[in-house]
Amino acid sequence: MNTLSALPFSLQAILLLVASNFFMTMAWYGHLKNLATSPWYIAALISWGIALAEYLLQVPANRIGFQQAGFSVGQLKIIQEVITLAVFVPFSVFYLGQPLKLDYLWAGLCILGAVFFIFRGA
């Protein structure tokens, strides 16, 4: 038995979503640092390859989350948005060297509002 399958389905889905989001963030924004002088089509092809890894994690995450953990599609989407911001902010600041802005906090609070509304009564 592998370690992931020993975890509750909801945690399996969330961990897979975190991993998939790391790959997607790298695919979408990593080329700005790594391939800045390469032609756009080279960056696009490499990013597309990285995005494949994201899909190989995202699809099972959504299936586990929906079919086994009982999340609704809306809940899965909001979970993904929370994870997106949680992955993007450190990536942006530490990897791409962008300044940390207070706007990230406001965006996070808006997303927390979305979490409240999508999960209330669940």
Side-chain angles (χ1 to χ4, degrees):
M1 175 188 288
N2 68 40
T3 306
L4 189 62
S5 64
L7 299 173
F9 289 123
S10 57
L11 190 54
Q12 287 179 36
I14 290 168
L15 290 174
L16 285 168
L17 287 172
V18 169
S20 74
N21 197 275
F22 172 78
F23 283 104
M24 201 65 208
T25 301
M26 182 59 80
W28 285 359
Y29 302 104
H31 63 88
L32 297 174
K33 179 177 182 178
N34 299 328
L35 302 169
T37 60
S38 298
W40 72 266
Y41 53 87
I42 298 295
L45 288 172
I46 291 171
S47 293
W48 187 57
I50 295 169
L52 175 61
E54 185 267 345
Y55 280 98
L56 292 174
L57 296 167
Q58 178 85 7
V59 170
N62 283 329
R63 292 173 68 94
I64 291 168
F66 184 74
Q67 295 172 345
Q68 277 86 32
F71 291 129
S72 71
V73 175
Q75 289 170 333
L76 283 168
K77 182 61 182 168
I78 295 302
I79 291 168
Q80 180 62 37
E81 295 305 325
V82 169
I83 292 168
T84 296
L85 191 59
V87 169
F88 175 77
V89 171
F91 180 86
S92 173
V93 172
F94 296 114
Y95 189 75
L96 294 177
Q98 297 294 299
L100 182 61
K101 296 182 176 185
L102 196 55
D103 289 342
Y104 293 135
L105 173 63
W106 307 136
L109 291 173
C110 289
I111 290 176
L112 284 178
V115 169
F116 170 77
F117 287 112
I118 205 73
F119 280 95
R120 72 178 170 165

